[in-house]
Amino acid sequence: KCMELKSGELIKHVATDCFSLLHRGCTDIVCCIFFIVAIVGYVAVGILGKSVCSSVKDGLGTVKKPLLFYFNMMKCASPMVLLEFQCPTPQVCVEKCPNRTMTLVTAIGDKQDWEYYRSFCREDPGVKVRSVPQILQEKLCPAYLISSKPFLQRCFPSLGKKGEVITVGDQETFNDGEKIRDAKDLVAGMNCGDIKHQPVSSCSCLLIAVVLSLIFIVLLRYLAGIMVWVMIVMVIAVVAYGIVHCSVKYVSLKDTPGANITLQQLGFQPDFSVYLHIRQTWLAFIIILAILEFIIIILLIFLRNRIRIAVELMKEASRAVGYVMSSLFYPIFTFFLLTIVIAYWGVTAVFLSTSSEPVYKVFNETVCPHARETCIPENFTLSKMKTDCPQSECLFAFYGGETPYHKYLIFLQFYNVFLFFWCANFVTALGQMTLAGAFASYYWAPNKTKDMPAFPLCASLGRSLRYHTGSLAFGSLILAIVQIIRVLLEYIDHKLKGAQNKFAKFLLCCLKCCFWCLEKFIKFLNRNAYIMVAIYGKNFCRSACDAFFLLMRNVIRVVVLDKVTDFILFLGKLLIVGLVGIFAFFFFSGHTDAFKGAAPSLHYYWVPILTVLVGSYFIAHGFFSVYAMCVDTLFLCFLEDLERNDGSPERPYLMSEKLLNVLKKKNQPAAFYSL
């Protein structure tokens, strides 16, 4: 059949065979359905957590109390709330948030204020029976009320500003029942005023990071070979300098008393600086560095051609990015989706973690019939439990509740974390497959200008969502399971920090190390599996197997290309962050006369500098992640091209002429046949 085609049609036929756009079908449908059901359940969990205070029954029927009020909001400001899944302060469902600011002491003295105040108590304290200290000790009422506004069905203090001063209820201070506090104490991290006055300057620095990232990618296209070999020479030079330095130290200690004893005679010393005064230590350094230098030089001699392939492939990746320029801005879309996932997880976590109440249990060192039963600490000393078990105590056990909702709260919290990992991995996988499909269409297009889709990135995104949502969900699920296991191991390690069982610690350490390695391997395998799915449209397992064995058949090329590319991109990130950081330092610190008029005086200039550094890193990482995905995609296409084609007229190579020259291969001229 191929012999019946003209030359151009023959190449298109081979390209279509390699990059299968025809006859695609939906892959991993079962996992796709499972993922959709899980997402629906995730939405239901968020709605359930949001509506936990939607209605509360009393003796008169059902009263609408959709808002949750916290006795002490400042105890919910700690980030540990999300880690511990609880907010350690009493809370009550209310109809409306408080619109006044007052304390318990002042409210009790006025009958009208007290009527309003006790609507925010967990139960009517009965002021004629209990004093104010008793009410606070039993945590029946809050020590103070602050004018609040509803947000996410929670009551949050209504903060405002008078000039540069934070206010609450038009006041700069409030009484918490014990002392006068500043309103700014209600807000974590209010000392970021410097950065908010510099949005233009900060954005300018981040724009510089964008420009530098683009320049670096352009330089890789034209100077990749020079940059790679310069860095290799620098590595050799650094190791050589280490050998010279250690040799100088070794010679200088020749006549030093006590320097000629051996390491065996010295034995183990807790102060490692002692070893630096021994000649044998420096001799060991010399031997190690010399062996390392020898290995590097030998590898360069034998792998020089493979390094040339890596360099040429990086140039080809730059050309591919040039044809698909929109790919450089795709990380913005990924970042937007991840922001939605993180925000939904955070809001759901807050809903779940702040809808608990303290639960107390009976604890006793001896046998007690009421052990682990729920108790009330306020009247425990007069209860039958205390009478039956005189040595028992009513101690805090956990935050939760006795309702069906509270009994399954830990499961809902676990489900929230698990779906967060799954959805975040799905978004990342979608980005990888979309970019892979776009760059694969570049590689397999015989004529880059005419045969590529008009909008390769949009076309690839459509294919990924239409046909391969199940494959994306499958790979993301495997990775999420490993990540949630790692989280559980970290949680167990945190709980066992005070344990003395060394074997348990060792076993836990080994498990953490193994699952860390497993996560890295699965990420590597998933990344390449998504590329194969984007190329051939097969299911996830088949694509993962094909990618793995293809890479294993070319393991030396994989190692060389991976390390060369990672090293160059890592240096690129450091270079961009360093340059932008230096510029930001001189601009915001005012240490340079050129910027003294442009930059205002700042109390904490390191705040905008750190913000710019973090932003610059994410910008550089976003650009270079696209480039790295392009290199990986073209590399797999390159390996497939070598295995599927042989340069004959029936199976011509589809790689660029420069890659063919580096490999010392060529396509045989095709005979022209008329139809």
Side-chain angles (χ1 to χ4, degrees), residues 16-32:
T16 303
D17 179 49
C18 294
F19 183 52
S20 178
L21 291 177
L22 303 175
H23 310 297
R24 281 191 182 237
C26 296
T27 55
D28 300 298
I29 300 175
V30 175
C31 196
C32 179

Side-chain angles (χ1 to χ4, degrees), residues 92-354:
V92 62
C93 296
V94 297
E95 295 182 59
K96 296 180 180 180
C97 294
N99 54 13
R100 309 180 197 177
T101 300
M102 63 179 74
T103 64
L104 177 63
V105 176
T106 58
I108 287 181
D110 186 280
K111 184 178 180 180
Q112 186 176 1
D113 288 345
W114 176 241
E115 282 295 323
Y116 177 78
Y117 196 98
R118 67 181 183 180
S119 64
F120 298 95
C121 297
R122 291 196 293 180
E123 61 181 71
D124 191 344
V127 293
K128 294 182 179 180
V129 180
R130 294 182 177 90
S131 63
V132 171
Q134 287 178 316
I135 294 174
L136 295 177
Q137 185 179 4
E138 296 176 15
K139 298 180 180 179
L140 299 178
C141 296
Y144 58 92
L145 293 181
I146 294 179
S147 178
S148 305
K149 292 181 179 179
F151 180 70
L152 298 176
Q153 290 193 288
R154 267 66 176 166
C155 293
F156 291 96
S158 53
L159 301 179
K161 291 191 69 175
K162 285 184 179 179
E164 297 298 319
V165 181
I166 304 297
T167 62
V168 56
D170 296 328
Q171 301 294 323
E172 298 178 9
T173 60
F174 69 96
N175 192 324
D176 68 351
E178 298 178 0
K179 61 180 180 179
I180 304 298
R181 290 182 178 270
D182 292 331
K184 66 179 182 180
D185 292 342
L186 291 167
V187 183
M190 290 303 295
N191 195 24
C192 60
D194 287 337
I195 189 62
K196 67 184 178 184
H197 294 301
Q198 296 298 321
V200 177
S201 303
S202 302
C203 290
S204 300
C205 293
L206 297 179
L207 183 61
I208 294 174
V210 173
V211 174
L212 290 176
S213 299
L214 290 172
I215 292 175
F216 193 88
I217 290 177
V218 172
L219 289 176
L220 282 177
R221 178 172 181 176
Y222 298 102
L223 302 175
I226 297 175
M227 295 171 69
V228 170
W229 289 110
V230 165
M231 283 184 285
I232 290 174
V233 171
M234 288 176 61
V235 171
I236 295 175
V238 168
V239 178
Y241 171 78
I243 295 174
V244 173
H245 179 77
C246 293
S247 300
V248 171
K249 284 287 187 180
Y250 178 77
V251 173
S252 64
L253 291 173
K254 181 178 180 180
D255 299 323
T256 304
N260 291 317
I261 65 173
T262 63
L263 294 174
Q264 185 177 4
Q265 293 173 334
L266 182 64
F268 175 77
Q269 299 293 328
D271 186 5
F272 288 97
S273 62
V274 175
Y275 295 102
L276 300 180
H277 299 283
I278 307 300
R279 295 188 73 201
Q280 198 175 74
T281 302
W282 295 104
L283 179 61
F285 288 160
I286 294 172
I287 295 173
I288 293 172
L289 291 176
I291 294 174
L292 181 62
E293 186 86 334
F294 177 76
I295 292 174
I296 292 175
I297 293 174
I298 292 297
L299 288 176
L300 288 176
I301 293 174
F302 286 97
L303 299 178
R304 62 187 184 278
N305 288 331
R306 303 190 186 279
I307 295 176
R308 289 178 60 200
I309 297 174
V311 171
E312 190 55 45
L313 203 57
M314 293 175 66
K315 293 180 181 179
E316 189 69 14
S318 297
R319 289 190 284 269
V321 172
Y323 274 93
V324 193
M325 283 297 294
S326 57
S327 62
L328 291 175
F329 303 99
Y330 185 84
I332 298 176
F333 178 67
T334 301
F335 175 77
F336 173 73
L337 294 180
L338 284 175
T339 302
I340 294 176
V341 172
I342 294 172
Y344 186 82
W345 164 78
V347 171
T348 305
V350 169
F351 283 150
L352 296 176
S353 62
T354 58

Side-chain angles (χ1 to χ4, degrees), residues 518-530:
L518 181 60
E519 181 183 355
K520 296 298 181 184
F521 174 74
I522 291 177
K523 283 184 177 180
F524 172 78
L525 187 63
N526 282 6
R527 184 185 181 92
N528 291 283
Y530 297 143

